């Protein structure tokens, strides 16, 4: 009887920890990030490619095929364009005077 209670408590604790840690979702998020945003995952070698593709296919089978076909997007921040003659082009209010 004690063995059943201990086994049930261990199963309950393991289920709680798996629910809190969510390893399946974390693995899927990691694989999706590697495939979508890294872009250089192809240069990681055949073993790394196989692990990433397998992990993504197992955790997100619906979107795996679509994501694998789309090219990786490279995110770049827009560079602000600065006017080299900003001093000459100031208005009277920009100079601190009144209009």
């Amino acid at each position: 009887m004690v063995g059943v209670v201990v086994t049930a408590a261990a199963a309950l604790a393991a289920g709680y920890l798996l629910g809190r840690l969510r390893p399946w979702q974390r693995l899927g998020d990691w694989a999706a990030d590697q495939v979508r945003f890294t872009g250089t995952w192809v240069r990681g070698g055949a073993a790394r490619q196989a692990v990433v593709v397998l992990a993504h296919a197992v955790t997100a089978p619906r979107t795996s095929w679509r994501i694998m076909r789309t090219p990786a997007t490279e995110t770049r921040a827009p560079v602000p364009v600065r006017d080299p003659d900003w001093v000459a082009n100031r208005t009277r209010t920009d100079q601190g005077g009144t209009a």
Side-chain angles (χ1 to χ4, degrees):
M1 184 67 174
V2 175
V4 173
V5 173
V6 170
T7 304
L12 183 65
Y16 174 76
L17 285 175
L18 286 175
R20 294 291 291 168
L21 297 177
R22 300 178 188 198
W24 192 257
Q25 185 176 6
R26 288 178 190 245
L27 177 65
D29 292 346
W30 172 81
D33 287 344
Q34 294 297 311
V35 171
R36 288 182 189 160
F37 302 116
T38 304
T40 59
W41 69 276
V42 177
R43 293 183 238 142
R48 184 163 192 262
Q49 289 178 22
V51 167
V52 169
V53 169
L54 181 64
H56 195 272
V58 168
T59 57
R62 287 185 182 178
T63 59
S64 292
W65 181 250
R66 180 179 48 85
I67 290 172
M68 295 298 170
R69 290 188 343 219
T70 58
T73 58
E74 188 173 329
T75 57
R76 291 187 180 181
V79 178
V81 179
R82 299 187 185 259
D83 184 12
D85 298 325
W86 69 274
V87 174
N89 295 331
R90 290 187 301 175
T91 61
R92 197 173 271 257
T93 55
D94 292 338
Q95 294 174 5
T98 57

